Amino acid sequence: MTIRAGELSDATGLAAAHVASWEEAYREILPADAIEEWNQKRPAQWDAYLRDPTNPAKNLVCEVDGEIAGFTRYGHCRDDGIDPKVNGELHAIYVTPRFWGRGCGYALWQATLERLRDAGYADVAVWTLQQNVRARCFYERIGFALQPGRVKFFERNGERFPEVRYWQAIELA
């Protein structure tokens, strides 16, 4: 298992990992057409992310035997009223389902946490769909705490899906 920065040549593999993760993680939570719509956008989205030198978000890739098993996107916290110089955010962490339970998510998180610490962030937030029990359990295992009352909504065709925020202090090394 190798953790490294994402590169433009990873765009196709990152999109594939993102699609596989979404299909499994959200199939019981989000409407199938919403998942399909987002999944169709993934290749162009990853190409744009990796081509844009002004994008403040960073990417890490977990590679297993030459295959992209998962990734993180991280950077400053995008929430209103939060100091982006002090507060970081785990924008996304996804692992391809066939690699679930093999330590990829934990390794990605540890590498991401190290980079957030090195960037000078004092704490880090992550948002997840309230119904995503698997993700919520993972965040709690790696030291995040639910922030009661911190809720926003993902909206799709008039349906609202609540997201909850987790928060973790970043210990100095």
Side-chain angles (χ1 to χ4, degrees):
M1 178 183 317
T2 303
I3 306 295
R4 61 175 177 75
E7 302 168 353
L8 183 57
S9 62
D10 296 323
T12 300
L14 284 163
H18 209 161
V19 165
S21 299
W22 262 62
E23 286 175 349
E24 184 64 25
Y26 299 126
R27 68 184 160 117
E28 302 292 326
I29 300 170
L30 297 175
D33 64 325
I35 295 169
E36 179 61 27
E37 180 182 318
W38 278 98
N39 283 347
Q40 288 176 8
K41 296 176 183 179
R42 297 298 179 209
Q45 181 185 49
W46 276 104
D47 187 69
Y49 283 159
L50 295 167
R51 283 186 189 278
D52 182 359
T54 65
N55 188 333
K58 307 291 183 213
N59 307 289
L60 289 179
V61 170
C62 178
E63 200 172 55
V64 176
D65 297 327
E67 180 182 345
I68 293 177
F71 66 89
T72 59
R73 283 187 54 78
Y74 63 94
H76 67 272
C77 187
R78 301 168 293 177
D79 295 345
D80 292 337
I82 300 291
D83 185 347
K85 293 179 182 147
V86 176
N87 309 110
E89 182 177 348
L90 176 60
H91 300 175
I93 182 168
Y94 289 102
V95 173
T96 301
R98 70 186 203 87
F99 291 102
W100 286 356
R102 293 176 53 186
C104 295
Y106 183 77
L108 278 163
W109 170 241
Q110 289 302 305
T112 301
L113 180 60
E114 181 180 316
R115 283 158 180 82
L116 288 165
R117 181 183 297 118
D118 290 348
Y121 293 110
D123 44 47
V124 58
V126 63
W127 287 92
T128 190
L129 287 169
Q130 186 173 21
Q131 290 180 281
N132 192 344
V133 174
R134 181 181 192 89
R136 293 181 67 178
C137 288
F138 174 75
Y139 295 135
E140 291 169 11
R141 271 195 318 272
I142 62 172
F144 280 93
L146 177 66
Q147 286 192 294
R150 297 298 300 204
V151 178
K152 65 181 182 179
F153 294 90
F154 170 77
E155 295 192 29
R156 168 76 179 154
N157 293 337
E159 272 190 275
R160 293 171 46 133
F161 302 91
E163 292 181 90
V164 293
R165 187 167 82 176
Y166 281 79
W167 200 264
Q168 180 178 143
I170 297 177
E171 307 271 334
L172 295 176

